Amino acid sequence: MWMDVGITFFISQIILLLIPAAEVVGEWSSKILDLPDSHITRYLNTFKDEGEKCRNSESCIYQHILETGLCWGYEENCPDHLGYSNAHCPGDHKGWVSSKSQQLQTFVNQADFGFVKQQLQSKTVMCKPRLDGESFLECSQYLQFCRGSNLYIDFRDLPSRKESFRYKMDVLKKGQIGGRCKLNDFKLQSEAVHQSPLQSWAPEIQHFQELPDLVNKQSKICDVFIDRPTFIMKIDATVNMYHHFCDFFNLYASLHLNGTHNEMFSRDVNILIWETYNYHSNFGITWSVFTKNPLMNLRTFQGKRVCFREVIFPLLPRMIFGLYYNTPVVWGCQESGLFHAFSKFILHRLKIPKRTAIDLVELPRIKITLLSRNTQYRRILNEKALLDKLRSSPRQYTIQRVEFTHETDFRQQLNIIQDTDIFIGMHGAGLTHLLFLPDWASVFELYNCGDEHCYADLARLRGVHYQTWSNPAKLKPQDEGHHPSDGGPHAKFTNYSFDTDEFLRIVDSAADHVSQHPTYRHTFGHLNQPSKSSDEL
């Protein structure tokens, strides 16, 4: 279902080049939406007015999908076969559930668009307007997601806090957030049970109170009125890709939770980060996927009473049973449509080119990227020997060794990953790049250092093949490792060397998966000849 339109985007560009400019003035254009094909097909079916614009436009190449009923999977009337997800459960559920159908439904609810659906179904109006122009607030269960209109937040206390802060739960006091509406305070307080900085919005929303004054541009209680929709973000560690992409992933899911209008994917929004530190991160370009406006933080409005026409409090990175940090996922299932859609959305808006058959001048070779660590721990001690072993293989792999540091441009990193068939690396945040591998790719976590679920789960959520080292007799730690806090032995705090023959065997197994994957074979067509197994060679 993810290949709804196939190569239509490429064809559309040729069509637009052939049509005189005068003829396309006023025509519907997918460039305005700036979405992958798999998103546009759902968008046009969701918003019928936009679908009609496409139908009446000679240059719209999506007209054939307008009657298909393609949907995301969280809509009440979305049949499973028309939803985005290709989730399936080929493995044993290991006692989680009692049937295969229950296994699949559990996975969809935990980690796919069913998670969005559950959040939508749990939403409750916390503060209801009685008249036009009054305030509005609704939240999902445990205040994990909230949104409102005509809301007031008082930041006049911030100048007295001289030290910069993040992860503080005392930013607001009673009455420093509110609106003119009928508040269901009992319901609000009963949901405010997840009292932790990154688990819910309870530390902030619990202080919501009814106000006597209207909240609008003319209100005297508003020192600043923000007319542009504003997403307020509490973010995880910005130096760590695994943790920071929890932020971006949950923001993407929140676009769907907020998706009741045709501007759901608009970049003309504000991002207000709920801390007073200036934002710095090598992954910061990813914000441009969501907004075209400068980032703001609490210092932007310190000393002011700020009113928002529309404000969204998105899903947070460390919610209990949230996505995707530390989340238990039912055994045996893979390929979350939500994770797939997130990957394609990020790659599309960052303009990361796809690898296609048109780029090839010879028979395709399987491309291997080894991510090298230049860190104190978890280095590959015999890295050169492993690379030499790959180069000596009769399968003639294309091999590159890369180091991704805080100085490496993130777009460059994604370009490399999108051009990779087999991604190899030691346990660590750099493996989060697997989210952006091609659908046919395989990730080889060289050694998981005893943390067996983290990247194995992330790989199956994304829907890419995963392998890790399974024979401890064929790897050698430098020492027992010493945890920095207590000095005790720990597998993550040492370095390793690996048996070269076993290494090549696992890589060959990954290559077999890649060469046999239907999407890989479809993409490269007649240029690709079936790879021979290591036994045949």
Side-chain angles (χ1 to χ4, degrees), residues 8 10-20 24 58-59 61:
T8 49
F10 175 73
I11 296 171
S12 72
Q13 304 311 299
I14 297 175
I15 292 172
L16 290 176
L17 288 174
L18 296 176
I19 298 174
V24 299
E58 294 182 1
S59 63
I61 61 171

Side-chain angles (χ1 to χ4, degrees), residues 477-516:
Q478 188 174 32
D479 54 37
E480 66 179 3
H482 302 283
H483 196 283
S485 62
D486 59 20
H490 201 292
K492 291 184 181 180
F493 298 96
T494 188
N495 305 303
Y496 295 87
S497 56
F498 299 86
D499 180 89
T500 56
D501 290 331
E502 177 69 2
F503 172 75
L504 182 59
R505 183 192 69 79
I506 298 173
V507 172
D508 284 344
S509 174
D512 290 341
H513 165 83
V514 170
S515 63
Q516 295 163 15

Side-chain angles (χ1 to χ4, degrees), residues 434 442-445 448 452 455-456 459-460 464-468:
L434 69 84
S442 179
V443 58
F444 176 11
E445 184 175 16
N448 60 34
E452 60 180 305
Y455 294 102
R460 66 187 177 103
V464 293
H465 182 247
Y466 172 88
Q467 294 187 111
T468 191

Side-chain angles (χ1 to χ4, degrees), residues 215-226:
V215 178
N216 56 37
K217 288 183 179 180
Q218 291 74 41
S219 300
K220 293 182 179 179
I221 62 169
C222 304
D223 298 317
V224 179
F225 187 86
I226 307 298

